[in-house]
């Protein structure tokens, strides 16, 4: 069966009638479940004999994600989650005491905590910008960012803010960073798999987890960096599999066990031990479906779904966080009256899976969501 926009037949086990929590955790489609089960079964049947097919699964995940990003596979590392990618850079750069980093208030903590730890361990100076200011008045926010960038070494920002769904102006922020010689790190977990995030943007690093818009399993993720950035990173996570010819002592006879083999640079420098091969097989399958459907078509479909719900909610007096200058797959709203938590509970009772991050009522549909879910949701709200 092929994937079709607005058709959840490939999610045959999904029990939630209207699933709108792709910004939290995507449900597993049948191909994802099958890919993971196949990889587990290969291990059950063959043990170490499954290694070849496991490695193939990991390489498929890497190359599928690389296709989404429009980069060569060799520039993509497979990680366990977003945080691991953030940490690899936060602890891998050759920091000098007093180096300045710029962080954003309002960001999800995964793109703040590792930087603050690095700041305290390496003596970095932290400057704060306001993520919300970019949603409310992007030109003023960019003007306020400029002085923070003077002398800055790195800026860390999310592609899409987790609570409002606001897609940050990465092009403009990246251009400003380049003017000031600062590197730009992007936490892309709330956009990758829907928005056209690619190496064409003026960004240096991009990290994401697999379980939201990429629709893969928990415990998978990626870190992309430009080739020249990879060479600058200290191999902080390096281990036995990071060495050149690191496997020879296991396969090629006696006397080859050594600890001084040079470390490989690039993604291998942070992929130190055996990988989450079953997770990667599943991630390869979920991203394979995204590639099959095509991100522009998915983005248009999700946009139509969100437009329809937003219109209905505005007519009912809701306030929407969505703005024309930064749309994503997330629609976050607040009702004119009544509490958000109560309303979310009401919707869940009526079969809609929604979230309430930081006090917003968040809807996050993806390619399997059908447009006819919208009137059902509005009806559930009217009956509230
Ligand atoms: C912007 C953002 N970054 C990161 C994460 C999660 O980080 P990790 O993949 O490390 O669990 C989330 C949500 O869980 C998020 O919304």
């Amino acid at each position: 069966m092929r994937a079709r926009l607005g058709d959840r037949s490939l999610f045959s086990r999904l029990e939630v009638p209207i699933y709108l929590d792709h910004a939290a955790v995507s449900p597993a489609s049948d191909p994802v479940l099958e890919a993971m089960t196949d990889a587990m079964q290969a291990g059950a049947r063959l043990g170490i004999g499954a290694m070849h097919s496991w490695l193939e699964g990991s390489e498929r995940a890497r190359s599928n994600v690389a296709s989404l990003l429009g980069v060569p596979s060799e520039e993509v590392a497979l990680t366990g989650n977003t945080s691991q990618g953030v940490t690899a850079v936060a602890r891998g750069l050759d920091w000098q005491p007093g180096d300045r980093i710029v962080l954003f208030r309002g960001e999800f903590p995964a793109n703040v905590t590792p930087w603050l730890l690095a700041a305290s361990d390496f003596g970095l100076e932290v400057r704060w910008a306001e993520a919300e200011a970019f949603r409310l008045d992007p030109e003023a926010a960019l003007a306020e960012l400029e002085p923070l960038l003077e002398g800055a070494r790195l800026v860390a920002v999310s592609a899409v803010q987790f609570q409002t769904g606001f897609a940050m102006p990465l092009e403009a922020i990246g251009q400003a960073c380049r003017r000031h010689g600062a590197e730009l790190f992007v936490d892309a977990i709330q956009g990758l798999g829907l928005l056209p995030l690619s190496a064409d943007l003026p960004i240096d690093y991009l990290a994401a987890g697999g379980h939201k818009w990429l629709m893969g399993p928990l415990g998978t993720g990626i870190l992309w960096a430009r080739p020249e950035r990879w060479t600058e990173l200290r191999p902080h996570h390096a281990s036995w599999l990071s060495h050149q010819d690191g496997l020879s002592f296991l396969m090629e006879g006696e006397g080859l066990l050594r600890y001084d083999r040079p470390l490989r640079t690039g993604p291998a420098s942070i992929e130190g031990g055996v990988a989450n091969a079953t997770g990667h097989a599943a991630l390869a399958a979920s991203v394979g479906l995204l590639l099959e459907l095509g991100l522009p078509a998915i983005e248009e479909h999700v946009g139509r779904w969100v437009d329809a719900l937003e219109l209905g909610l505005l007519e009912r007096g809701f306030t929407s966080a969505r703005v024309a200058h930064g749309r994503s797959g997330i629609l976050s709203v607040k009702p004119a009256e009544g509490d958000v938590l109560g309303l979310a509970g009401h919707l869940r009772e009526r079969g809609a899976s929604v979230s309430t991050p930081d006090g917003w009522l968040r809807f996050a549909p993806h390619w399997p969501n059908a447009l006819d879910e919208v009137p059902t949701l509005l009806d559930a709200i009217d009956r509230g």
Side-chain angles (χ1 to χ4, degrees):
M1 190 189 293
R2 292 179 69 84
R4 286 207 315 261
L5 296 171
D7 176 354
R8 59 183 256 181
S9 312
L10 284 181
F11 293 75
S12 66
R13 292 160 181 86
L14 181 56
E15 293 173 5
V16 182
I18 303 184
Y19 195 84
L20 297 169
D21 258 332
H22 298 92
V25 174
S26 273
S29 63
D30 297 342
V32 164
L33 193 62
E34 277 155 27
M36 194 174 229
T37 311
D38 286 351
M40 282 300 288
Q41 278 180 348
R45 285 187 290 112
L46 305 170
I48 179 74
M51 189 54 89
H52 186 67
S53 66
W54 285 337
L55 291 177
E56 273 180 3
S58 293
E59 290 317 309
R60 252 194 332 276
R62 192 193 306 277
S63 103
N64 283 357
V65 172
S67 296
L68 273 191
L69 288 168
V71 300
S73 287
E74 302 80 63
E75 294 176 12
V76 176
L78 296 172
T79 62
N81 49 39
T82 319
S83 303
Q84 208 178 308
V86 182
T87 300
V89 180
R91 308 207 74 81
L93 282 174
D94 173 26
W95 297 114
Q96 303 302 313
D99 276 352
R100 178 184 300 171
I101 57 174
V102 178
L103 307 178
F104 287 73
R105 285 207 183 84
E107 287 267 310
F108 195 85
N111 197 26
V112 174
T113 305
W115 300 111
L116 291 182
L117 280 173
S120 115
D121 289 351
F122 301 109
L124 313 180
E125 182 198 344
V126 179
R127 293 283 185 97
W128 291 93
E130 300 289 334
E132 182 67 348
F134 285 80
R135 185 176 74 87
L136 299 174
D137 187 344
E139 278 177 23
L142 272 169
E144 280 165 27
L145 182 65
E146 287 278 343
L148 301 182
L149 295 179
E150 268 160 40
R153 171 130 186 228
L154 182 136
V155 175
V157 74
S158 286
V160 173
Q161 294 300 323
F162 74 101
Q163 69 289 67
T164 58
F166 175 62
M168 297 292 286
L170 293 180
E171 179 69 42
I173 293 176
Q175 293 299 353
C177 287
R178 291 205 166 162
R179 277 199 301 280
H180 291 275
E183 296 177 6
L184 181 57
F185 181 98
V186 175
D187 169 348
I189 192 173
Q190 291 293 5
L192 188 63
L194 184 89
L195 301 182
L197 295 168
S198 82
D200 291 343
L201 287 164
I203 63 181
D204 295 279
Y205 311 91
L206 180 148
H211 62 278
K212 297 184 192 285
W213 298 90
L214 292 176
M215 304 183 95
L218 294 178
T220 58
I222 62 104
L223 171 65
W224 167 78
R226 293 197 182 277
E228 62 273 26
R229 297 295 174 232
W230 273 122
T231 57
E232 286 162 16
L233 283 185
R234 221 162 35 95
H236 173 74
H237 281 76
S239 185
W240 69 285
L241 284 173
S242 312
H243 288 285
Q244 289 173 16
D245 297 322
L247 280 174
S248 56
F249 75 98
L250 289 175
M251 332 267 270
E252 294 170 24
E254 199 178 341
L256 294 172
L257 177 60
R258 296 179 28 186
Y259 311 110
D260 61 351
R261 293 181 194 283
L263 293 173
R264 292 188 288 160
T265 52
S269 68
I270 65 161
E271 294 175 354
V274 289
N276 174 10
T278 52
H280 292 158
L283 181 64
S286 68
V287 179
L289 295 177
L290 299 177
L291 291 169
E292 191 181 312
L293 290 164
L295 290 198
I298 297 176
E299 190 184 359
E300 197 200 326
H301 170 74
V302 170
R304 278 174 50 210
W305 194 107
V306 169
D307 281 347
L309 182 64
E310 185 180 41
L311 187 65
L313 292 176
L314 292 175
E315 282 168 4
R316 286 160 177 79
F318 282 71
T319 311
S320 170
R322 195 159 168 251
V323 285
H325 59 274
R327 291 187 169 171
S328 69
I330 292 174
L331 172 62
S332 288
V333 297
K334 286 183 181 166
E337 53 194 52
D339 76 310
V340 164
L341 296 187
L343 182 54
H346 169 75
L347 289 173
R348 288 189 197 112
E349 277 164 23
R350 277 161 184 71
S353 178
V354 293
S355 290
T356 56
D358 207 15
W360 290 91
L361 178 61
R362 184 179 71 183
F363 302 91
H366 208 326
W367 67 258
N369 288 91
L371 280 166
D372 64 11
E373 293 169 342
V374 171
T376 312
L377 274 170
L378 292 172
D379 190 50
I381 287 169
D382 289 341
R383 282 159 195 260

